[in-house]
Amino acid sequence: MFRSALLTLALAACSSGGDSGSTQPPVTQSIGLQLSASSGTVARGASGTATLTLSRVGGYAGTVALTAENLPAGVTATFTPASLSGSAASATVVFNVGTTATAGSSTITIRAAGSGVTAATATYALSVPAPAVTLTAGSGAASIVVGGSATVPITIMRSNGFTDAVALAATGLPAGVTATFTPATIAAGSTTSTLTLIVAGTATPGASTVTISASGTGVTTQTASLALTLTAAATPAVAVAATPAAVSIVAGASGTTAIAVSRTGGFAGDVTLALEGAPAGVTGTFSANPVLSAATASTLTISTAGTAAPGMYNLTVRATGTGVTAATTTVAVTITAAPGITISTTPATVTVAAGSAVTTAVTITRLGGFAADVALAATGLPAGVSASFAPAALTGATLTSTLTLTSTTGAAVGASTVTVTASGTGVTAQTAAIALTVSAAPAYSLAATATTLVQGATSTSTVTVTRTGGFAGAVNLTIAGLPSGVSAVFTPAAVTGTSATVTFTAAANATTGAFSATITGTATGLANVTTGVSGSVTASGGGGGGSIAWRFCDPTDLPLFFAFRNGTSGAWTRVTAGANNTYSFSLSGLGSVAIARPLENGVASVAVYNLTATEMASTALQECTTNPPGKTLNGSFANLGAGQTGNAYLSGGIGTATGPATTFSMANVGDGLGDLLAFRFSTTIGAGFIPSLTPDRVVLRRNVNYAANSTMPVIDFTGAESFAPSTATYTTTGIGAGEISQSITSFVTSNGTSGSFLFGSLLGGTGTNTVYGVPSNRLATGDFHLVFSTSSAQDGNTTRGVFQYNRELANRTIALGGLLTTPTVVTAGTAPYVRLRASGPWQAEYNDALGVTFSQAGQGTSRAWTISSSRAFYGAAGTYSEEIPDLSGVSGFDNTWGLRSGVSTTTSMTASGGITGTIGVASEGSSWRFAARTSTITP
């Protein structure tokens, strides 16, 4: 067909004008080649196609072979058909790019070659792109709460023939954040993974950029950015609220309030509720407790007992849960009283004596608006006791009734419980208990000891008042039936305590012989009580005149017996009292005096003095100084703190009080002008629980003479008359091993005041002691400090000491003497009473005076004999012999005053020496030593 067409075209050309007869040259056969596309891009593993069009010229109909030249490595070309024959003019070429083909651009030549014609070519620009992967990280942003986590979807796309696995990685993570890919490598054929980001609780909130990378063999690593924001974790919390927040409840009833629980910050746990601050009688329960994680409410029921006290109370509801701070809310609960009454008695404990009556107040309280009448009744009354109320019913505003309990004289004595009941309509009856004791009827009895009188002398008897049935009134004493010439005085005449002293005085012409008098006691409201007192009056034994006058000024300490002996041997002569209780006698040189005195809680105390006439006269004059007539004063301290003690001294009397108490009574105060001295001190407990006394203020009040039984002006330790004490250190030498030393200070004035006070450690020191006294600028003429320094064995059996007068306190050293030689103690006689003798050598350092006391102790049977002798009495003798004299033949001496056989007797021997000045007379530097030793003997 192709050739036929060409021929037709040629013939037409020949038949159209022109030179006829000219000849055309023959057409050269050839082929041409065109491609449908001159270029293409084919990825590895893929193929590209192009269409080839072959043009045949000059009638060429040969077979044309198709080939591809300059193919890059890994690329093949396939022609369909591989050759064109005849008139075939079209073919398809497929470029197959292998998976290992080299990426890049190349020009492939397509050649069409046929026999007899020049080959035709066309070029095809082939581009093989490099393998690639793309990466996508979710939305590109993630926000995570600190302590939480998040996931990010990771997607890859493979291109250009890439099919291998892709490894994933994350960089740029902030501190505390970890990243995990699942899977970490995306296998061939898969395109997704999951990135999990976990944020620790310690991570810092803020923004950062995390880089996600995807890498594989033969491909360029690809990255994607993830904008990561860490936000602070919300605090888990719980809150609680009550609705209503105020509840009013009548005592005995209950009320409710709704409790709402809210959770925030991710808290989802159970919540436990508790009610706090509930007063007595109020309780609370929750309908749900704990409030489970899925719930938010509970109901609080508040229950009150009938005894709950009315008032407004703020109760706290506390909500707690694991990991959260407790939350609270307040419920205001008002409790109103239920209608009712209460009852009380004042006093609730009473004592009534048989035959008398006692009252107590019965008081009710109305509650909850109760206003009706309240009836009163008493039950449980013991036999013989009746009760009455005034009024018997309490109406309106009357809230108190007086209950009178009346006891007959025949009522049984003992304790019982009386129940008082208050009742009213519509309320529960209430009761109160009264502890009632029926005591015996008030009464008392009297008893008096016998007495022995000597004409012209005095004696005493003790009247004992025994009280029963609670009797505490004053008993007025009188006496009748005394013999002629005998009188009696009671001290006190009105007894408020348990005893009185009767002082009998016999005139010189009093009727002698035994007598029995009657003592009568009268007391308000009671019958008179009597007791007998027996006695005897004996004739005066002689004496009663002489140069030595021994006067007794203390009416409570008058002698039972007084006798003297002129010389060192011979008969004893009894002396009776003259005017003003003065006993007069004479000594020609040496002599002895024996004085028997009453002994408190005992039989008698007998003192024997062996002295020269001059020494005896001096000793007699000191009697009223040592034992002056006494009076009683009252006083008080100001600015005496708790635990502090005040001591006051005046003319032989001592008063004391320890804070918070401030008042005191001072007995046995000598009459006449005196100087009042007072100290304030504190007590501390030191090592070994040994107390120590430290004074800080002193009051010195001069020239006072307060009336008997009066109250002296207040002693103010911070007032104008107060001052700080002076101090000095006294060092005692010669202390034996294990001995305890003390320094005791006395302050004496020209007015006769003498206060003795021990300050510092009560168990003494080891030789150095601080003494306290009156400063120099406070001293007056005649004032002296007397410091008494001692050292004693711990068993108390031996003691040594030094007395020294000094006007002013100053640091001083005191030297002790040696131990006293142990005396020989024997029984010199046993009838009609025991007579003991202590003997031994005089010691050079204790060569001035000595004394011995023989004492027998016993409740009501104590006896004591003291024998005191001067060195002058013994003359030049090198030994002493202190013996109880036999006074049994002397008129008026009672042999029962003597010591008893078979009774343990304490012997206390004391000797003194080194005297400078006169013992007991204050002068600058005067001093004397003494030593004492104690032992026991059973005669």
PDB file of all heavy atoms in Angstrom, residues 852-873:
ATOM      1  N   VAL A 852      27.588  17.220 183.778  1.00  0.00           N
ATOM      2  CA  VAL A 852      27.135  15.954 183.249  1.00  0.00           C
ATOM      3  C   VAL A 852      25.624  15.871 183.416  1.00  0.00           C
ATOM      4  O   VAL A 852      25.070  16.329 184.418  1.00  0.00           O
ATOM      5  CB  VAL A 852      27.836  14.766 183.946  1.00  0.00           C
ATOM      6  CG1 VAL A 852      27.524  14.757 185.438  1.00  0.00           C
ATOM      7  CG2 VAL A 852      27.413  13.445 183.305  1.00  0.00           C
ATOM      8  N   THR A 853      24.941  15.335 182.394  1.00  0.00           N
ATOM      9  CA  THR A 853      23.498  15.122 182.456  1.00  0.00           C
ATOM     10  C   THR A 853      23.230  13.642 182.326  1.00  0.00           C
ATOM     11  O   THR A 853      23.711  12.990 181.379  1.00  0.00           O
ATOM     12  CB  THR A 853      22.774  15.893 181.340  1.00  0.00           C
ATOM     13  OG1 THR A 853      22.978  17.289 181.536  1.00  0.00           O
ATOM     14  CG2 THR A 853      21.278  15.605 181.363  1.00  0.00           C
ATOM     15  N   PHE A 854      22.458  13.113 183.290  1.00  0.00           N
ATOM     16  CA  PHE A 854      21.992  11.736 183.222  1.00  0.00           C
ATOM     17  C   PHE A 854      20.492  11.800 182.907  1.00  0.00           C
ATOM     18  O   PHE A 854      19.725  12.380 183.687  1.00  0.00           O
ATOM     19  CB  PHE A 854      22.208  11.017 184.559  1.00  0.00           C
ATOM     20  CG  PHE A 854      23.633  11.017 185.034  1.00  0.00           C
ATOM     21  CD1 PHE A 854      24.041  11.844 186.079  1.00  0.00           C
ATOM     22  CD2 PHE A 854      24.575  10.188 184.439  1.00  0.00           C
ATOM     23  CE1 PHE A 854      25.347  11.841 186.532  1.00  0.00           C
ATOM     24  CE2 PHE A 854      25.892  10.177 184.901  1.00  0.00           C
ATOM     25  CZ  PHE A 854      26.287  11.007 185.933  1.00  0.00           C
ATOM     26  N   SER A 855      20.080  11.212 181.791  1.00  0.00           N
ATOM     27  CA  SER A 855      18.675  11.333 181.396  1.00  0.00           C
ATOM     28  C   SER A 855      18.103   9.977 181.028  1.00  0.00           C
ATOM     29  O   SER A 855      18.775   9.124 180.440  1.00  0.00           O
ATOM     30  CB  SER A 855      18.530  12.288 180.214  1.00  0.00           C
ATOM     31  OG  SER A 855      19.281  11.836 179.100  1.00  0.00           O
ATOM     32  N   GLN A 856      16.846   9.781 181.431  1.00  0.00           N
ATOM     33  CA  GLN A 856      16.084   8.576 181.085  1.00  0.00           C
ATOM     34  C   GLN A 856      14.843   9.026 180.332  1.00  0.00           C
ATOM     35  O   GLN A 856      14.066   9.842 180.833  1.00  0.00           O
ATOM     36  CB  GLN A 856      15.700   7.795 182.346  1.00  0.00           C
ATOM     37  CG  GLN A 856      16.887   7.204 183.091  1.00  0.00           C
ATOM     38  CD  GLN A 856      16.482   6.477 184.357  1.00  0.00           C
ATOM     39  OE1 GLN A 856      15.425   6.745 184.935  1.00  0.00           O
ATOM     40  NE2 GLN A 856      17.333   5.553 184.803  1.00  0.00           N
ATOM     41  N   ALA A 857      14.660   8.503 179.119  1.00  0.00           N
ATOM     42  CA  ALA A 857      13.546   8.925 178.269  1.00  0.00           C
ATOM     43  C   ALA A 857      12.373   7.973 178.435  1.00  0.00           C
ATOM     44  O   ALA A 857      12.532   6.795 178.772  1.00  0.00           O
ATOM     45  CB  ALA A 857      13.979   8.963 176.805  1.00  0.00           C
ATOM     46  N   GLY A 858      11.189   8.492 178.156  1.00  0.00           N
ATOM     47  CA  GLY A 858       9.979   7.687 178.205  1.00  0.00           C
ATOM     48  C   GLY A 858       8.776   8.598 178.171  1.00  0.00           C
ATOM     49  O   GLY A 858       8.780   9.688 178.766  1.00  0.00           O
ATOM     50  N   GLN A 859       7.714   8.177 177.475  1.00  0.00           N
ATOM     51  CA  GLN A 859       6.531   9.006 177.347  1.00  0.00           C
ATOM     52  C   GLN A 859       5.886   9.182 178.722  1.00  0.00           C
ATOM     53  O   GLN A 859       5.363   8.244 179.303  1.00  0.00           O
ATOM     54  CB  GLN A 859       5.531   8.379 176.369  1.00  0.00           C
ATOM     55  CG  GLN A 859       4.298   9.228 176.103  1.00  0.00           C
ATOM     56  CD  GLN A 859       4.661  10.568 175.465  1.00  0.00           C
ATOM     57  OE1 GLN A 859       5.580  10.655 174.658  1.00  0.00           O
ATOM     58  NE2 GLN A 859       3.952  11.609 175.853  1.00  0.00           N
ATOM     59  N   GLY A 860       5.961  10.400 179.256  1.00  0.00           N
ATOM     60  CA  GLY A 860       5.380  10.689 180.554  1.00  0.00           C
ATOM     61  C   GLY A 860       6.230  10.253 181.725  1.00  0.00           C
ATOM     62  O   GLY A 860       5.864  10.500 182.882  1.00  0.00           O
ATOM     63  N   THR A 861       7.369   9.603 181.465  1.00  0.00           N
ATOM     64  CA  THR A 861       8.208   9.099 182.562  1.00  0.00           C
ATOM     65  C   THR A 861       9.637   9.605 182.461  1.00  0.00           C
ATOM     66  O   THR A 861      10.523   9.083 183.128  1.00  0.00           O
ATOM     67  CB  THR A 861       8.214   7.560 182.573  1.00  0.00           C
ATOM     68  OG1 THR A 861       8.791   7.083 181.343  1.00  0.00           O
ATOM     69  CG2 THR A 861       6.814   7.007 182.734  1.00  0.00           C
ATOM     70  N   SER A 862       9.888  10.614 181.628  1.00  0.00           N
ATOM     71  CA  SER A 862      11.248  11.104 181.450  1.00  0.00           C
ATOM     72  C   SER A 862      11.748  11.751 182.741  1.00  0.00           C
ATOM     73  O   SER A 862      10.998  12.430 183.463  1.00  0.00           O
ATOM     74  CB  SER A 862      11.303  12.119 180.306  1.00  0.00           C
ATOM     75  OG  SER A 862      10.960  11.503 179.090  1.00  0.00           O
ATOM     76  N   ARG A 863      13.025  11.551 183.005  1.00  0.00           N
ATOM     77  CA  ARG A 863      13.689  12.136 184.172  1.00  0.00           C
ATOM     78  C   ARG A 863      15.076  12.584 183.730  1.00  0.00           C
ATOM     79  O   ARG A 863      15.683  11.962 182.860  1.00  0.00           O
ATOM     80  CB  ARG A 863      13.810  11.121 185.306  1.00  0.00           C
ATOM     81  CG  ARG A 863      12.486  10.668 185.894  1.00  0.00           C
ATOM     82  CD  ARG A 863      12.698   9.493 186.838  1.00  0.00           C
ATOM     83  NE  ARG A 863      11.493   9.126 187.569  1.00  0.00           N
ATOM     84  CZ  ARG A 863      10.535   8.341 187.088  1.00  0.00           C
ATOM     85  NH1 ARG A 863      10.645   7.843 185.855  1.00  0.00           N
ATOM     86  NH2 ARG A 863       9.464   8.063 187.820  1.00  0.00           N
ATOM     87  N   ALA A 864      15.570  13.656 184.349  1.00  0.00           N
ATOM     88  CA  ALA A 864      16.910  14.140 184.004  1.00  0.00           C
ATOM     89  C   ALA A 864      17.541  14.781 185.226  1.00  0.00           C
ATOM     90  O   ALA A 864      16.878  15.489 186.004  1.00  0.00           O
ATOM     91  CB  ALA A 864      16.833  15.132 182.849  1.00  0.00           C
ATOM     92  N   TRP A 865      18.843  14.506 185.412  1.00  0.00           N
ATOM     93  CA  TRP A 865      19.653  15.135 186.461  1.00  0.00           C
ATOM     94  C   TRP A 865      20.872  15.741 185.785  1.00  0.00           C
ATOM     95  O   TRP A 865      21.579  15.073 185.034  1.00  0.00           O
ATOM     96  CB  TRP A 865      20.098  14.104 187.514  1.00  0.00           C
ATOM     97  CG  TRP A 865      19.004  13.703 188.463  1.00  0.00           C
ATOM     98  CD1 TRP A 865      17.917  12.956 188.192  1.00  0.00           C
ATOM     99  CD2 TRP A 865      18.932  14.045 189.851  1.00  0.00           C
ATOM    100  NE1 TRP A 865      17.142  12.780 189.301  1.00  0.00           N
ATOM    101  CE2 TRP A 865      17.754  13.456 190.364  1.00  0.00           C
ATOM    102  CE3 TRP A 865      19.739  14.779 190.722  1.00  0.00           C
ATOM    103  CZ2 TRP A 865      17.357  13.582 191.694  1.00  0.00           C
ATOM    104  CZ3 TRP A 865      19.348  14.904 192.052  1.00  0.00           C
ATOM    105  CH2 TRP A 865      18.159  14.316 192.533  1.00  0.00           C
ATOM    106  N   THR A 866      21.107  17.025 186.071  1.00  0.00           N
ATOM    107  CA  THR A 866      22.277  17.713 185.526  1.00  0.00           C
ATOM    108  C   THR A 866      23.118  18.246 186.680  1.00  0.00           C
ATOM    109  O   THR A 866      22.611  18.936 187.578  1.00  0.00           O
ATOM    110  CB  THR A 866      21.867  18.876 184.604  1.00  0.00           C
ATOM    111  OG1 THR A 866      21.111  18.353 183.519  1.00  0.00           O
ATOM    112  CG2 THR A 866      23.098  19.601 184.076  1.00  0.00           C
ATOM    113  N   ILE A 867      24.396  17.926 186.666  1.00  0.00           N
ATOM    114  CA  ILE A 867      25.331  18.377 187.713  1.00  0.00           C
ATOM    115  C   ILE A 867      26.385  19.245 187.032  1.00  0.00           C
ATOM    116  O   ILE A 867      27.077  18.797 186.112  1.00  0.00           O
ATOM    117  CB  ILE A 867      25.988  17.182 188.417  1.00  0.00           C
ATOM    118  CG1 ILE A 867      24.906  16.259 188.971  1.00  0.00           C
ATOM    119  CG2 ILE A 867      26.914  17.662 189.508  1.00  0.00           C
ATOM    120  CD1 ILE A 867      25.432  14.914 189.413  1.00  0.00           C
ATOM    121  N   SER A 868      26.467  20.512 187.480  1.00  0.00           N
ATOM    122  CA  SER A 868      27.414  21.466 186.889  1.00  0.00           C
ATOM    123  C   SER A 868      28.375  21.932 187.968  1.00  0.00           C
ATOM    124  O   SER A 868      27.951  22.318 189.074  1.00  0.00           O
ATOM    125  CB  SER A 868      26.665  22.669 186.311  1.00  0.00           C
ATOM    126  OG  SER A 868      25.743  22.261 185.322  1.00  0.00           O
ATOM    127  N   SER A 869      29.683  21.921 187.648  1.00  0.00           N
ATOM    128  CA  SER A 869      30.697  22.279 188.650  1.00  0.00           C
ATOM    129  C   SER A 869      31.740  23.175 188.033  1.00  0.00           C
ATOM    130  O   SER A 869      32.105  23.028 186.843  1.00  0.00           O
ATOM    131  CB  SER A 869      31.375  21.021 189.201  1.00  0.00           C
ATOM    132  OG  SER A 869      30.418  20.146 189.771  1.00  0.00           O
ATOM    133  N   SER A 870      32.235  24.114 188.859  1.00  0.00           N
ATOM    134  CA  SER A 870      33.339  24.956 188.404  1.00  0.00           C
ATOM    135  C   SER A 870      34.662  24.331 188.851  1.00  0.00           C
ATOM    136  O   SER A 870      34.725  23.509 189.763  1.00  0.00           O
ATOM    137  CB  SER A 870      33.211  26.355 188.997  1.00  0.00           C
ATOM    138  OG  SER A 870      33.396  26.325 190.409  1.00  0.00           O
ATOM    139  N   ARG A 871      35.750  24.769 188.196  1.00  0.00           N
ATOM    140  CA  ARG A 871      37.070  24.261 188.576  1.00  0.00           C
ATOM    141  C   ARG A 871      37.429  24.718 189.995  1.00  0.00           C
ATOM    142  O   ARG A 871      38.074  23.982 190.759  1.00  0.00           O
ATOM    143  CB  ARG A 871      38.121  24.764 187.581  1.00  0.00           C
ATOM    144  CG  ARG A 871      39.511  24.176 187.826  1.00  0.00           C
ATOM    145  CD  ARG A 871      39.487  22.690 187.553  1.00  0.00           C
ATOM    146  NE  ARG A 871      40.791  22.050 187.714  1.00  0.00           N
ATOM    147  CZ  ARG A 871      41.264  21.554 188.853  1.00  0.00           C
ATOM    148  NH1 ARG A 871      40.543  21.667 189.961  1.00  0.00           N
ATOM    149  NH2 ARG A 871      42.439  20.954 188.895  1.00  0.00           N
ATOM    150  N   ALA A 872      36.947  25.907 190.351  1.00  0.00           N
ATOM    151  CA  ALA A 872      37.257  26.432 191.683  1.00  0.00           C
ATOM    152  C   ALA A 872      36.630  25.580 192.770  1.00  0.00           C
ATOM    153  O   ALA A 872      37.162  25.488 193.886  1.00  0.00           O
ATOM    154  CB  ALA A 872      36.773  27.876 191.794  1.00  0.00           C
ATOM    155  N   PHE A 873      35.496  24.961 192.473  1.00  0.00           N
ATOM    156  CA  PHE A 873      34.839  24.116 193.470  1.00  0.00           C
ATOM    157  C   PHE A 873      35.725  22.923 193.822  1.00  0.00           C
ATOM    158  O   PHE A 873      35.741  22.461 194.970  1.00  0.00           O
ATOM    159  CB  PHE A 873      33.491  23.649 192.930  1.00  0.00           C
ATOM    160  CG  PHE A 873      32.725  22.747 193.871  1.00  0.00           C
ATOM    161  CD1 PHE A 873      31.952  23.284 194.890  1.00  0.00           C
ATOM    162  CD2 PHE A 873      32.779  21.358 193.750  1.00  0.00           C
ATOM    163  CE1 PHE A 873      31.252  22.463 195.767  1.00  0.00           C
ATOM    164  CE2 PHE A 873      32.087  20.535 194.620  1.00  0.00           C
ATOM    165  CZ  PHE A 873      31.319  21.092 195.635  1.00  0.00           C
TER     166      PHE A 873
END
